[in-house]
Amino acid sequence: MAAGGFCKLPNGCVVVALNLPSPGSGSGFVRVLVLAQNRARALTRLRNLGLRAVYLRGNAAPPTPDEITAVLHHPDGLIWRTAPDSAGQELSQELWHPIRALLRRPTAQA
């Protein structure tokens, strides 16, 4: 199950963060951030993009303040980057990407 969490903002909106398997490639995870009116709408936004098996159970990995700032300043309110590995190494050098860049990534062909 993918790790994830949420944070409710003072204006009533929520930021949902999920670590999901990278679509199109069998290895690796991506950290996806979604800004929406509530958690259900955030998950619906992802499902409408083709990420069908997206669920948020618990609040084990809520978004950090830096992640919240990044998604608030993006016009779509839906961004991603490579998730840190399980050893806790942070990939702070990688910039956030719009979600359309993730969904159109070329797949490795054998």
Side-chain angles (χ1 to χ4, degrees):
M1 185 184 315
F6 68 95
C7 179
K8 190 163 185 158
L9 302 177
N11 66 358
C13 293
V14 296
V15 175
V16 173
L18 294 167
N19 289 351
L20 302 172
S22 181
S25 74
S27 63
F29 285 85
V30 293
R31 178 93 166 157
V32 178
L33 298 175
V34 184
L35 175 67
Q37 293 298 317
N38 56 45
R39 289 179 289 178
R41 286 189 183 185
L43 297 176
T44 299
R45 287 186 73 187
L46 291 173
R47 289 181 187 130
N48 287 343
L49 292 171
L51 303 171
R52 298 288 181 211
V54 176
Y55 297 97
L56 179 63
R57 293 189 174 100
N59 200 13
T64 64
D66 290 338
E67 291 175 335
I68 294 170
T69 301
V71 77
L72 286 174
H73 285 89
H74 194 272
D76 293 337
L78 189 57
I79 56 177
W80 71 277
R81 73 175 172 190
T82 306
D85 62 3
S86 60
Q89 178 185 2
E90 180 64 32
L91 299 174
S92 61
Q93 299 300 324
E94 183 180 1
L95 298 176
W96 290 98
H97 309 284
I99 196 69
R100 63 184 171 270
L102 176 67
L103 298 177
R104 68 174 173 203
R105 290 174 80 184
T107 59
Q109 296 181 1

